[in-house]
Amino acid sequence: MPKFLIVDDSNSIRQMVSFTLKSAGYDVVEASDGLQGLQTAKGENFDLVISDVNMPNMDGIELCKELRKLSSFEFTPILMLTTESSGDMKVRGKEAGATGWLVKPFNPDKLLATIKRVVR
């Protein structure tokens, strides 16, 4: 069963994403900010990371850069799920190694369709 890491400082967003993914049969681990997400990622293997951009301690762009430095996350899909929809922020995400960009509020069906495209 594919295992996903969800990183978001909003408890309600984490719960909604987690519920959506678990309902679709995925295993989910949650982290409340980029720093916790990075520590969690270093201890386990994940098939996908979904991260917010604006978080305390370490934002999603920085998390993305740090994950890409780890050999186990070199090719792991990383989706940014955020309220940020500016082209500039998307470019920063792409440069950091993000695979895709989803804007909140998220549509569960669109999230699952995107995951099916990036997770093998």
Side-chain angles (χ1 to χ4, degrees):
M1 173 188 319
K3 186 161 62 169
F4 300 161
L5 175 62
I6 312 303
V7 187
D8 199 309
D9 59 323
S10 165
N11 195 32
S12 58
I13 294 288
R14 276 199 323 273
Q15 286 177 336
M16 286 190 299
V17 172
S18 189
F19 176 79
T20 299
L21 298 177
K22 286 177 180 174
S23 297
Y26 298 112
D27 191 10
V28 177
V29 175
E30 298 178 22
S32 58
D33 64 43
L35 211 51
Q36 186 186 21
L38 182 61
Q39 293 307 320
T40 303
K42 287 180 176 177
E44 299 181 56
N45 288 322
F46 293 96
D47 300 290
L48 172 76
V49 177
I50 299 176
S51 177
D52 187 12
V53 170
N54 298 313
M55 297 180 288
N57 302 319
M58 179 188 288
D59 68 23
I61 302 290
E62 200 55 41
L63 171 62
C64 199
K65 287 179 187 172
E66 291 300 316
L67 287 174
R68 289 296 182 219
K69 292 178 186 174
L70 304 172
S71 61
S72 56
F73 284 88
E74 193 177 351
F75 302 109
T76 303
I78 301 174
L79 297 178
M80 307 310 284
L81 178 63
T82 178
T83 55
E84 296 280 352
S85 59
S86 73
D88 178 54
M89 193 58 87
K90 288 180 184 175
V91 168
R92 285 186 55 213
K94 199 58 112 182
E95 287 171 349
T99 310
W101 199 271
L102 297 165
V103 179
K104 293 176 189 173
F106 79 99
N107 173 317
D109 294 332
K110 186 174 181 186
L111 176 64
L112 292 172
T114 302
I115 288 169
K116 282 190 172 75
R117 280 201 304 274
V118 298
V119 175
R120 300 282 171 243

